[in-house]
Amino acid sequence: MLIASLAISFVSCTPVERVKEKELKVLSWNVWHAGHAKNYPEKGCEGTIGILKKSQADVILMIETYGAAPMVADSLGYDYVLLSDNLCIYSRYPIKKTYLFPDSISTFNFGGVEIDMDGTPVRLFDTWLHYLPDMRLVPTEQSEADILAWDDAGTRDDEIRRILSVLQPMIRQTDSIPMIMGGDFNVHSHLDWTDTTKDMYSHGGAVVEWTVSKEMQNAGFKDSFREIHPQPEKNIGATWIYDNEDKPVRSDRIDFIYYQGKTIRAVTSESYNQELTKPLEFMGEKFFYPSDHGFVLTTFKVSSLEK
């Protein structure tokens, strides 16, 4: 009887580990020249900050920051790191580390941080790939090989390969420290230019295995928006609306939030876009829309062990 009592006492004193999930909302947005233009500076700044506040994003990956960082950070009450004139990351959580790789990739193109989510580390990276060749000019009448040759003539493919190269040590650690990588990639996705969409969205019959998105997939990254919305024919998730002279208005997805890791999963992801200066209906409110890019808002669940 005594032995049984001791065994029960021993078991009850053993720490029990359980998995706890925390929510992390990440927003990626090219705000277009600090979120304003000369003809509407006040409205533009108010619209940018209003949208960011309403989103309740925990982390914001901003592109084309250009002087807006202190004002945005003060308005949100967030920590921030200005990676370059172009890129800035804001966080509700403390930023513990900054990652820059100037010997391999310009800080204008790429950089990141590590945040502390109440004891759980998460690494987030902000990205801008070169805008040329211009995605408005995709020669859809040509073969896939010719389209890829046209695209590969620019620097984006080299940029993404250099980025993925410097990330390799941290990619190997994503089982324990999850990684999120977002931004303006200035190029389409092979997940969007499929057989089901070849006659939609002004794709001109083209099916294209775009190099950058394929490189991201091959490196183990998941496209959070396309994971949640796996049928592009039903929801393309446009982040860029433009009128190209005599061609019809096109809506393309060139802004992304990718991620990988065993302790992270995407649970919702939405793309919001609006024509420049027209009001955006966002979460029940109207906001002046200050950018030529839409934004992506993904909610993740990040798990950690508790004792």
Side-chain angles (χ1 to χ4, degrees):
M1 197 71 170
L2 178 60
I3 293 173
S5 298
L6 288 173
I8 292 170
S9 175
F10 176 77
V11 170
S12 65
C13 292
T14 302
V16 176
E17 290 187 339
R18 61 179 182 178
V19 174
K20 180 181 179 181
E21 284 193 321
K22 302 174 184 178
E23 185 176 280
L24 181 66
K25 295 179 74 173
V26 179
L27 186 149
S28 177
W29 194 11
N30 181 329
V31 295
W32 193 56
H33 291 283
H36 65 81
K38 292 180 180 178
N39 55 333
Y40 52 89
E42 186 174 344
K43 283 186 178 180
C45 292
E46 288 176 356
T48 300
I49 292 171
I51 289 168
L52 294 177
K53 283 184 175 180
K54 189 67 177 179
S55 75
Q56 296 185 316
D58 299 300
V59 178
I60 297 159
L61 309 175
M62 183 175 285
I63 303 94
E64 294 198 26
T65 305
Y66 302 142
M71 176 180 59
V72 172
D74 288 347
S75 298
L76 298 173
Y78 281 13
D79 279 359
Y80 77 99
V81 170
L82 189 64
L83 303 168
S84 63
D85 289 347
N86 186 28
L87 303 178
C88 186
I89 299 178
Y90 309 84
S91 175
R92 185 191 307 276
Y93 294 101
I95 295 173
K96 296 299 185 181
K97 297 179 183 178
T98 301
Y99 300 104
L100 298 172
F101 313 93
D103 293 337
S104 300
I105 185 73
S106 169
T107 58
F108 195 87
N109 294 100
F110 190 70
V113 300
E114 182 176 302
I115 63 170
D116 179 6
M117 289 182 63
D118 304 320
T120 301
V122 180
R123 291 169 174 151
L124 300 106
F125 292 90
D126 201 2
T127 313
W128 180 84
L129 303 184
H130 204 281
Y131 68 94
L132 294 176
D134 191 330
M135 283 293 108
R136 291 173 294 187
L137 306 177
V138 177
T140 55
E141 72 283 357
Q142 297 183 17
S143 68
E144 181 186 15
D146 288 338
I147 292 172
L148 287 174
W150 170 85
D151 179 44
D152 293 351
T155 61
R156 283 187 293 260
D157 298 346
D158 179 59
E159 288 163 2
I160 200 63
R161 287 173 181 137
R162 282 187 279 133
I163 287 168
L164 292 173
S165 177
V166 299
L167 286 181
Q168 282 307 306
M170 284 178 276
I171 287 175
R172 289 192 288 270
Q173 296 173 343
T174 54
D175 283 356
S176 56
I177 305 178
M179 183 185 298
I180 298 168
M181 179 176 161
D184 174 10
F185 288 67
N186 271 312
V187 67
H188 307 304
S189 170
H190 71 286
L191 299 175
D192 299 345
W193 284 59
T194 65
D195 192 63
T196 61
T197 62
K198 65 183 180 181
D199 297 317
M200 303 173 68
Y201 312 121
S202 300
H203 288 183
V207 177
V208 185
E209 293 276 282
W210 294 101
T211 304
V212 168
S213 59
K214 287 290 292 185
E215 290 283 351
M216 290 295 291
Q217 180 176 280
N218 292 340
F221 283 94
K222 297 177 183 178
D223 178 335
S224 64
F225 180 86
R226 191 52 68 215
E227 181 183 22
I228 300 298
H229 305 279
Q231 296 175 289
E233 68 276 13
K234 293 183 178 180
N235 188 349
I236 193 63
T239 62
W240 199 30
I241 299 173
Y242 57 86
D243 187 0
N244 186 19
E245 297 178 355
D246 58 340
K247 295 182 180 179
V249 173
R250 292 180 61 175
S251 300
D252 293 315
R253 191 168 71 106
I254 63 174
D255 304 83
F256 305 89
I257 296 178
Y258 291 98
Y259 77 101
Q260 65 171 288
K262 285 188 175 179
T263 60
I264 186 172
R265 60 189 178 93
V267 291
T268 67
S269 186
E270 297 298 334
S271 171
Y272 299 88
N273 64 80
Q274 184 55 276
E275 291 183 59
L276 188 64
T277 77
K278 291 186 177 180
L280 171 70
E281 289 273 0
F282 179 55
M283 296 187 174
E285 289 188 41
K286 286 186 178 181
F287 296 93
F288 182 88
Y289 201 73
S291 179
D292 60 344
H293 279 254
F295 58 92
V296 185
L297 179 61
T298 297
T299 301
F300 295 98
K301 293 286 188 179
V302 181
S303 61
S304 60
L305 287 177
E306 276 194 339
K307 291 188 177 181

